[in-house]
Amino acid sequence: MKCDILFLGTAVFGGLTAAGAQDMTPHRPNILFCIADDAAWLHFGAYGCGWVSTPVFDSVAARGILFENCYTPNAKSAPSRASLLTGRYSWQLGEAGNHICHFPEEIKVFTEALEEAGYDVAFTGKGWAPGDPGMRNGCKRQLTGRAWQSRKLTPPTPEILATDYAANFSDFLSSREDTSRPWFFWFGCREPHRRYEYGSGVAKGGRTTGEIDRVPAFWPDNETVRNDMLDYGFELEHYDRQLGLMLARLEELGELDNTLIIVTSDNGMPFPRAKGTQYEYAHHMPLAVMWLRGLNAPGRREAAYVSFVDIAPTVLELAGTDPATAGMGRLPGGSLVPLLRNEPDPCAELRGRALLGRERHDNGRPGDQGYPIRGIVRNGWLYLCNLKPWLLPGGNPETGYRDIDSSPTKTAILQLSRSGQDSRYYDLSMGPRPAEELYHVETDRECLVNRIGEGSCRVLADSLRAELFRTLCGQDDPRLTGDGDVFDRYPYDKPGKDRIYERTLGGEIIPWEQSNWVLPTDYEQYETVKNE
C-alpha cells in the first residue's frame, strides 16, 4: 500500500490542486482509461463498500466525479468492450454483439480515430477480448493500440497475472519521442477475473468473513461463499494498487493535471446471477472520472444515467474531433463533456435512461443459441424482456451451465440443489425466467421481487416496454426489425467451438475437456460418469 499512501498524501497536503478548473487549458488532455475485468460497482469504497479497500479509486472520485448510474449495454467482456470502443450498442455491432467472436472489419473504434487525430495510443493487460480482432494492412488489428506487456512482477497469488501493469505504463511514457503529442493509454487489468486462490482474502488480504455486511440473498450465506467474495475483493484491491502506481508516476512526471483519468470495469462480478445477466450486479458499473485541469466543481456525485456508448463521443470531443469527422458515423450516445464541465447538457434527454441487452455469450446451448434479452432502466425501474424464455439463462446442464463461471459459490449452489437441501439458489441462477421482468432497483438492488404482474405496475411496464421497443426499432436492432437469430449464426472466433451441445449429446466430445472456465463438477452428467 506504499504507493497508495504516497498518492493520497500529496493530494491531502496540497501537492495536487483541484481548484475548480480555473485554468481551462486549450491543450488536448492525455487520457488514461482504466478498466477492471469483472468488478461490480458496489464493491468500491466510494459507493459504500467496507470490506474491499479501494483508496485510489475513492480519491479519483473525491477529486473528480463519481457516476452513480453508469451501465454497460452488455455485461460480458467482449461485447461490453466493443460498445466502449465503438460507441454503439451491442445489437448495432453485428458479430461483435457476441462474446468470443470476430470483430467486424468495417466498424471503426475510437482508438483508431485518436491515432489519426495525433494521439499516441497504447495498452497493457487485456484490451478487447476474447475474440479475433482481424487484420489490417497485413497485421493483426490493434483495437486498443500498441501492446506493452513485457514487464512482470511476482503476483500476490498464483491466480493473479504476473503482468506489471504500472511498469509497462511507465515504459510507455518513457518511450515517447515527441512529448508534445497527447496520448491515450488503456490499462486493462485482468483482475478480478477468475480463477482465485481460495482463502487468499483471509490469508493474504487480512480480512475476516464477518467483515462482509451482506451476502446477496440469491446466494447461500455460508463460509464458502463469504470466502469466495473476499478472494474476489482481494483481486479488486490489486487493480486499485496498480492504478495508484500509475497516478503516482504521472504526478512524478508532472503530467497528472492535464490527464483525464477514467476508471471503470467491463461487467459485474463473476458469480451466479451477476456477470452475464441483466440484473444490477451485472450491468451497473463503477465510473469515476478525474481531470484536475479541466473538470469543474470536483467532488460531485452525478446521478444521471450514463452508458458505455457515451465514452467514445466524450473522448473524441476532448481530442478535438467528433464521430462523423472521425469516420465512425452517427453514434447513439452523447458526450459527457458537459457533465465534466458542470454545464448545461444538450444530451440531457439521453440521461434519463440506460438501454441493456444480451446475445450469445459462451457456447453450449442447442443450435449455438444465446439467451437474447433487451432491457431499459429509467427512474429507478428495470424492465427486461427475455426474448426466448424457453431457454435456460445460465446455459444447459448437459454443458455445464457455461454462461456462469465456475466458482466455489456456483459449486455450493449446485450441491444444495442436487442434494435436495435447497433449490432456491439454483432456481434464481440456473432456472427458467419469465418473458418479462420488472424491478424497482432503488429498493431491490438484488432484483428479487418481480413486479411485472402487479396491477399497480401495469401502466409503468407498458410504458417502458413501448419506449424500449420503439427505441430499438429506431436503432435497427435485428431482434425487432429483421432476422434476430443472425446473432446465433455468427461464427465463433476459432474452429471447434460450435455445436458443443450437439457434440456432447452425441458422444463426440467430453465436454469438461473443452472449457477452462467451467469445472467438471458443473456438468450434470459428470456426476453420473465419475461414479460408474
Side-chain angles (χ1 to χ4, degrees):
M1 294 300 294
K2 182 178 180 180
C3 67
D4 302 343
I5 295 172
L6 170 65
F7 174 65
L8 295 172
T10 54
V12 171
F13 292 111
L16 303 175
T17 302
Q22 296 299 315
D23 175 19
M24 300 302 290
T25 174
H27 299 295
R28 297 184 295 175
N30 304 313
I31 302 169
L32 175 60
F33 183 83
C34 312
I35 182 167
D37 198 351
D38 298 357
W41 99 100
L42 74 171
H43 297 136
F44 292 78
Y47 292 106
C49 184
W51 53 272
V52 182
S53 178
T54 57
V56 184
F57 178 91
D58 303 345
S59 179
V60 169
R63 294 181 296 129
I65 302 177
L66 182 68
F67 288 86
E68 296 179 331
N69 289 296
C70 175
Y71 285 83
T72 174
N74 193 318
K76 194 77 169 182
S77 287
S80 179
R81 292 162 188 256
S83 285
L84 276 167
L85 287 163
T86 64
R88 299 181 183 277
Y89 292 105
S90 55
W91 48 87
Q92 297 178 306
L93 291 174
E95 294 180 67
N98 286 346
H99 195 56
I100 48 176
C101 63
H102 294 270
F103 198 93
E105 181 180 1
E106 68 276 11
I107 297 182
K108 192 172 186 177
V109 295
F110 77 72
T111 47
E112 294 169 333
L114 287 180
E115 286 184 316
E116 294 170 359
Y119 272 70
D120 293 331
V121 178
F123 81 103
T124 188
K126 181 176 178 178
W128 173 82
D132 181 359
M135 305 289 288
R136 178 161 289 184
N137 299 323
C139 300
K140 183 179 179 180
R141 191 175 177 188
Q142 296 287 354
L143 297 179
T144 48
R146 180 184 172 186
W148 290 81
Q149 309 282 32
S150 63
R151 298 289 289 272
K152 305 297 179 183
L153 51 67
T154 302
T157 80
E159 300 298 343
I160 290 177
L161 284 191
T163 302
D164 192 334
Y165 307 109
N168 287 325
F169 176 54
S170 182
D171 285 350
F172 160 73
L173 294 174
S174 300
S175 74
R176 298 173 60 245
E177 297 179 358
D178 183 356
T179 57
S180 67
R181 288 167 57 91
W183 52 262
F184 173 94
F185 194 87
W186 174 293
F187 163 32
C189 189
R190 204 289 306 261
E191 289 71 38
H193 193 288
R194 291 191 184 273
R195 300 177 178 176
Y196 308 145
E197 180 182 49
Y198 185 75
S200 56
V202 172
K204 297 179 178 179
R207 299 287 184 183
T208 65
T209 56
E211 292 181 58
I212 297 175
D213 57 333
R214 177 173 176 79
V215 174
F218 42 77
W219 306 328
D221 186 352
N222 57 39
E223 287 299 293
T224 296
V225 173
R226 284 175 174 263
N227 270 289
D228 201 14
M229 294 173 68
L230 289 180
D231 298 344
Y232 152 83
F234 184 66
E235 293 214 357
L236 183 48
E237 291 173 351
H238 180 71
Y239 172 51
D240 196 72
R241 285 192 295 271
Q242 288 287 305
L243 173 60
L245 287 167
M246 291 182 176
L247 299 190
R249 180 59 174 155
L250 288 176
E251 182 186 8
E252 179 184 342
L253 296 174
E255 293 199 40
L256 185 60
D257 284 11
N258 196 41
T259 299
L260 177 72
I261 312 294
I262 302 173
V263 190
T264 189
S265 175
D266 58 354
N267 49 250
M269 61 195 305
F271 284 69
R273 203 176 167 88
K275 173 185 176 181
T277 70
Q278 271 51 54
Y279 302 122
E280 282 283 282
Y281 277 64
H283 272 93
H284 198 155
M285 292 290 96
L287 179 63
V289 179
M290 182 180 79
W291 182 17
L292 296 178
R293 186 175 292 177
L295 187 148
N296 277 324
R300 285 179 282 136
R301 298 178 74 100
E302 177 57 64
Y305 288 97
V306 300
S307 171
F308 276 8
V309 300
D310 299 327
I311 299 298
T314 301
V315 169
L316 293 176
E317 180 177 346
L318 292 172
T321 185
D322 60 78
T325 303
M328 295 180 66
R330 184 178 178 182
L331 301 182
S335 170
L336 300 176
V337 170
L339 295 181
L340 303 183
R341 303 285 198 192
N342 202 25
E343 297 171 348
D345 185 4
C347 297
E349 186 177 348
L350 294 177
R351 310 296 179 216
R353 72 182 184 203
L355 302 178
L356 316 174
R358 172 181 173 181
E359 284 297 335
R360 190 177 67 202
H361 286 173
D362 292 305
N363 50 8
R365 288 189 186 83
D368 285 327
Q369 294 180 91
Y371 189 83
I373 303 175
R374 297 294 183 269
I376 183 171
V377 188
R378 178 182 280 282
N379 294 330
W381 289 88
L382 167 64
Y383 168 80
L384 297 174
C385 178
N386 299 313
L387 296 169
K388 292 187 176 183
W390 54 89
L391 298 176
L392 294 174
N396 276 57
E398 300 92 341
T399 50
Y401 311 99
R402 287 186 174 213
D403 271 335
I404 305 172
D405 290 359
S406 287
S407 66
T409 300
K410 180 181 179 182
T411 298
I413 289 173
L414 289 172
Q415 288 175 343
L416 283 171
S417 177
R418 289 166 178 164
S419 67
Q421 295 178 63
D422 197 336
S423 63
R424 290 175 299 163
Y425 308 110
Y426 177 95
D427 293 341
L428 286 168
S429 292
M430 290 87 167
R433 292 176 184 159
E436 294 183 292
E437 300 175 74
L438 180 68
Y439 302 98
H440 188 233
V441 293
E442 290 188 353
T443 58
D444 181 19
R445 286 294 190 193
E446 296 172 7
C447 299
L448 292 172
V449 182
N450 184 7
R451 302 180 64 178
I452 195 68
E454 295 183 14
S456 61
C457 295
R458 184 174 298 122
V459 172
L460 172 64
D462 290 345
S463 175
L464 291 174
R465 182 190 309 108
E467 179 183 2
L468 173 63
F469 289 176
R470 182 175 62 250
T471 304
L472 295 176
C473 285
Q475 295 175 353
D476 295 325
D477 181 351
R479 289 287 178 194
L480 275 293
T481 63
D483 180 13
D485 286 345
V486 66
F487 291 104
D488 301 330
R489 296 195 299 273
Y490 285 130
Y492 295 98
D493 62 334
K494 297 176 182 177
K497 295 183 179 180
D498 63 315
R499 299 182 60 253
I500 293 294
Y501 177 85
E502 288 78 11
R503 289 190 287 149
T504 295
L505 266 63
E508 182 180 339
I509 61 173
I510 299 174
W512 44 88
E513 296 179 354
Q514 302 293 316
S515 65
N516 60 4
W517 71 97
V518 181
L519 293 173
T521 52
D522 289 353
Y523 296 85
E524 297 297 345
Q525 70 267 42
Y526 179 82
E527 295 300 300
T528 301
V529 171
K530 74 174 184 178
N531 292 320
E532 290 181 350

